[in-house]
Amino acid sequence: MSGSSAWHVAEARLRNMWKWKRAIIFYGLGGPLLYLTSIGLGVGALVDQHNGAAGMQGVPYLMFLAPALLAAASIQGAQDEVTFPTLAGFIWSKLFFAQAATSLSPRQIANGVLIASAVRAVFTTITYWLVLRVFGAVDTASALPLILSGLLAGMCFATVMLWVAAHVKNDDGFFAIVGRFVITPMFLFSGTFYPLQPLPLSVQWIGWLSPLWHATEIGRALSFGAGVHAQLFAVHVAFLALMGSAGLLLAHRQFERRLTA
Amino acid sequence: MIRAQGLTKRYGDFTAVDSIDFAVRRGESFGLLGPNGAGKSTTMRMIAATTRRSSGELEILGKDPNRSGPEIRAHLGVVPQEGNLDTELTCAENLYIYGRYFGLARGYLKLKVEELLAFAQLEEKRDVKVDELSGGMKRRLTIARALVNEPEVLLLDEPTTGLDPQARHILWDRLFRLREQGVTLVTTTHFMDEAEQLCERLMVMDRGRIMAEGSPQQLIREHSTREVLELRFGSQRNAEVAAAIADVGSYQEALPDRILVYAEDGEQALREILSRGFDPLTSLVRRSSLEDVFLRLTGRTLVDE
């Protein structure tokens, strides 16, 4: 009868997310609409006017921006679906302890949360791409590369956040700290709005450690053929693969520790 | 069903459960009795295969929980002390989702959920969110939830703590029915009456150790007298009087608010004390209870008042 799997945890998570569907759709559409209108069109007009036919890495600014914005939105959505349920599961509702009393293993519980956050990331990236397409910022061929690189960014970050959130014993200020010291700097210094290279090394390192930068570079290379060296491209992929697996491994260990203490 | 030998749990320097031995048979109703912090809940979590033991041997349903946790848990029902129902879901959804965690089929659960709602007497609350239930209803729902996988052993950690008398009696009635159906029950409690009501066999715990073991009647026979005489002389005089009547009955316990005289015949002990010229404010002869056993074994009352 021990037919438990991570999918059963994900099923419960998705049922819970369904209750928040309006908020999720609102953010899914609202985010891209705001960014594309203000920065994409506004700043884009300025940049394109200034750069002329050369564009940004040879393409209109909005196209340059698209992979980064999409990956950033994916990261935000996935991390929401990882941190809130994890804090709730360990602290607020203690749901994880109820799950751990069934034939589920701690590892399956962690995986279930990740699966549900992946569903959210898929929704976010597809929605974002559709809005980009409506804005005329991207062509149809860009769908797969952009959605994949966005998903990659979101899920790599999600595994790490799962590990971090599983340590939290007192949630005072947790979201404020993550927002101010992780998400915002990452968003600003990951080559999101302009290439990373002009930045001084003292802040460039933020980009090197950021899944957003690596995923964005992959997205740019694949969607409009931005000039990324093959070796550097491999580094981007390897970095994300490493980050995702390390996060997953550590999250599993922390879930096991906390649910069998 | 359950067999423990030298079972120990340490948290850093603190030993919560200190090398205990016990066994629970199939169909038995077994109780862990002791004050808060005695190690009951920790023992319970080890039996539930959710807390790993520090040392010793533990076998549940013939398996080692360190190796076969999920397989063991598939056949256990757990009612935790701390409510962990999903408060955003309705009663029926809570039962259904919990069943899914066990990997149970949707078709099976559709029927099972209705059956369990009836068992918990919550049919009318079927589609009500858990937030809106009373404490007693939540506890009944938690018990129903623990039965979704038709467990062989049901583990109840302080099942009626915080409930009013009426809610407790409804709950006990439900647990009686389970016993009749042959479910093995393991209950922790610090309530005497609950232990006497629910448990055929008890293990008295204090500070991580087992102080005594046996049926409630057996424990009372071995560790107490048939009757107890309770005397109150006012808080200033209790100690002084206790010294003067130390030879009456088998032994005494002088508590801050009263003196307990343990005797086979309480009335006779009372007559003897009155004949010596002592005049208690109140006196009461009652039968010995598990509370007296605990006091005798540990020198402390179960519920610190």
Side-chain angles (χ1 to χ4, degrees):
Chain A
M1 196 165 62
S2 176
S4 304
S5 81
W7 296 101
H8 297 122
V9 176
E11 181 186 327
R13 283 290 316 130
L14 292 173
R15 191 179 268 258
N16 178 284
M17 273 159 69
W18 188 248
K19 303 200 171 193
W20 296 90
K21 55 183 178 292
R22 281 190 200 160
I24 290 174
I25 292 171
F26 181 77
Y27 281 113
L29 285 172
L33 285 175
L34 286 177
Y35 272 109
L36 293 178
T37 313
S38 93
I39 297 181
L41 297 185
V43 180
L46 202 67
V47 173
D48 292 340
Q49 196 178 17
H50 185 264
N51 287 4
M56 195 79 166
Q57 296 186 346
V59 292
Y61 185 60
L62 207 48
M63 194 180 252
F64 168 81
L65 205 56
L69 289 182
L70 193 136
S74 165
I75 283 178
Q76 184 63 53
Q79 91 101 19
D80 276 354
E81 295 307 336
V82 156
T83 49
F84 279 101
T86 302
L87 262 59
F90 281 120
I91 306 171
W92 304 327
S93 72
K94 313 244 176 233
L95 183 64
F96 288 165
F97 294 96
Q99 293 172 334
T102 71
S103 45
L104 287 165
S105 66
R107 186 178 290 216
Q108 287 171 331
I109 296 171
N111 289 344
V113 173
L114 275 178
I115 292 171
S117 78
V119 172
R120 169 81 183 267
V122 167
F123 171 79
T124 310
T125 47
I126 291 180
T127 313
Y128 217 112
W129 183 84
L130 287 173
V131 176
L132 283 166
R133 187 73 192 89
V134 170
F135 267 68
V138 293
D139 53 19
T140 316
S142 71
L144 204 59
L146 284 188
I147 288 169
L148 280 183
S149 60
L151 275 179
L152 207 55
M155 293 321 294
C156 285
F157 192 66
T159 63
V160 175
M161 286 314 288
L162 185 66
W163 170 59
V164 172
H167 283 83
V168 177
K169 296 235 156 66
N170 179 348
D171 56 302
D172 277 351
F174 173 74
F175 291 100
I177 291 169
V178 169
R180 276 172 212 158
F181 295 104
V182 181
I183 305 270
T184 306
M186 185 170 81
F187 188 48
L188 293 176
F189 297 103
S190 291
T192 316
F193 303 103
Y194 43 81
L196 200 59
Q197 284 74 24
L199 284 176
L201 284 180
S202 56
V203 284
Q204 226 186 82
W205 64 269
I206 300 176
W208 300 339
L209 296 178
S210 152
L212 180 54
W213 180 61
H214 293 285
T216 299
E217 291 300 290
I218 292 174
R220 281 177 184 152
L222 294 180
S223 66
F224 61 83
V228 176
H229 208 276
Q231 273 150 343
L232 194 55
F233 188 84
V235 168
H236 292 314
V237 174
F239 179 91
L240 291 175
L242 197 72
M243 183 178 185
S245 358
L248 187 64
L249 220 68
L250 291 167
H252 281 167
R253 210 174 62 171
Q254 181 59 15
F255 266 66
E256 234 145 57
R257 260 189 212 159
R258 202 153 170 192
L259 292 173
T260 61
Chain B
M1 287 253 111
I2 303 167
R3 218 168 43 76
Q5 226 163 21
L7 184 62
T8 302
K9 180 68 186 182
R10 280 181 292 269
Y11 292 101
D13 290 339
F14 174 67
T15 305
V17 176
D18 192 358
S19 189
I20 62 174
D21 302 342
F22 65 92
V24 181
R25 291 185 298 272
R26 184 175 291 274
E28 188 176 28
S29 180
F30 185 75
L32 276 71
L33 177 70
N36 291 326
K40 306 185 303 278
S41 295
T42 308
T43 304
M44 204 63 154
R45 287 202 308 275
M46 287 192 280
I47 300 175
T50 49
T51 288
R52 291 176 88 86
R53 62 185 185 267
S54 303
S55 60
E57 290 305 312
L58 180 62
E59 202 182 279
I60 304 153
L61 304 166
K63 296 187 180 101
D64 179 346
N66 280 359
R67 281 194 293 273
S68 318
E71 291 96 309
I72 293 171
R73 292 197 297 272
H75 300 283
L76 299 182
V78 177
V79 181
Q81 189 176 347
E82 206 170 37
N84 56 21
L85 292 162
D86 196 328
T87 51
E88 286 181 35
L89 300 181
T90 66
C91 292
E93 285 174 325
N94 259 284
L95 297 174
Y96 178 82
I97 289 282
Y98 200 73
R100 292 293 290 158
Y101 293 152
F102 284 99
L104 299 170
R106 290 166 212 272
Y108 163 86
L109 284 172
K110 280 219 167 70
L111 299 173
K112 192 71 188 173
V113 165
E114 305 308 323
E115 180 195 321
L116 289 173
L117 285 170
F119 172 81
Q121 295 165 300
L122 289 170
E123 290 125 308
E124 285 167 27
K125 303 284 177 184
R126 189 185 185 286
D127 299 312
V128 170
K129 270 196 181 181
V130 167
D131 265 340
E132 294 163 36
L133 300 182
S134 71
M137 290 177 184
K138 278 185 193 160
R139 211 62 67 91
R140 290 201 315 265
L141 183 62
T142 310
I143 292 177
R145 186 182 72 168
L147 296 171
V148 76
N149 57 329
E150 302 187 339
E152 293 176 48
V153 186
L154 186 63
L155 306 173
L156 302 130
D157 198 359
E158 304 270 354
T160 64
T161 298
L163 298 188
D164 63 56
Q166 200 197 349
R168 296 179 78 195
H169 281 283
I170 297 176
L171 208 88
W172 286 343
D173 169 65
R174 299 292 102 179
L175 295 176
F176 271 126
R177 281 169 201 241
L178 292 175
R179 259 177 75 176
E180 283 169 4
Q181 291 164 22
V183 178
T184 308
L185 298 184
V186 181
T187 312
T188 73
T189 182
H190 62 258
F191 295 120
M192 294 299 120
D193 50 348
E194 183 156 276
E196 285 175 54
Q197 285 270 346
L198 286 180
C199 307
E200 297 162 277
R201 203 157 58 84
L202 284 169
M203 186 163 93
V204 181
M205 286 188 80
D206 190 36
R207 297 187 171 122
R209 291 169 179 275
I210 298 173
M211 307 300 291
E213 203 197 307
S215 70
Q217 296 75 16
Q218 212 178 345
L219 287 170
I220 291 169
R221 211 165 44 238
E222 283 169 20
H223 300 282
S224 188
T225 53
R226 203 170 70 87
E227 292 186 338
V228 188
L229 169 61
E230 293 201 10
L231 299 168
R232 287 171 201 265
F233 290 92
S235 49
Q236 279 87 28
R237 289 190 63 211
N238 281 336
E240 173 200 332
V241 176
I245 59 169
D247 59 321
V248 182
S250 307
Y251 60 94
Q252 289 88 20
E253 293 281 354
L255 302 177
D257 61 331
R258 61 196 194 276
I259 304 171
L260 304 178
V261 178
Y262 289 89
E264 287 308 304
D265 185 342
E267 290 294 345
Q268 198 207 321
L270 179 59
R271 280 195 300 277
E272 169 67 26
I273 289 165
L274 292 175
S275 75
R276 292 186 190 183
F278 293 107
D279 186 18
L281 300 174
T282 64
S283 65
L284 165 76
V285 175
R286 58 168 176 81
R287 294 181 68 87
S288 245
S289 73
L290 286 171
E291 177 84 49
D292 302 300
V293 173
F294 190 79
L295 190 61
R296 178 70 171 158
L297 288 170
T298 68
R300 292 186 296 132
T301 51
L302 261 168
V303 186
D304 290 325
E305 281 149 11

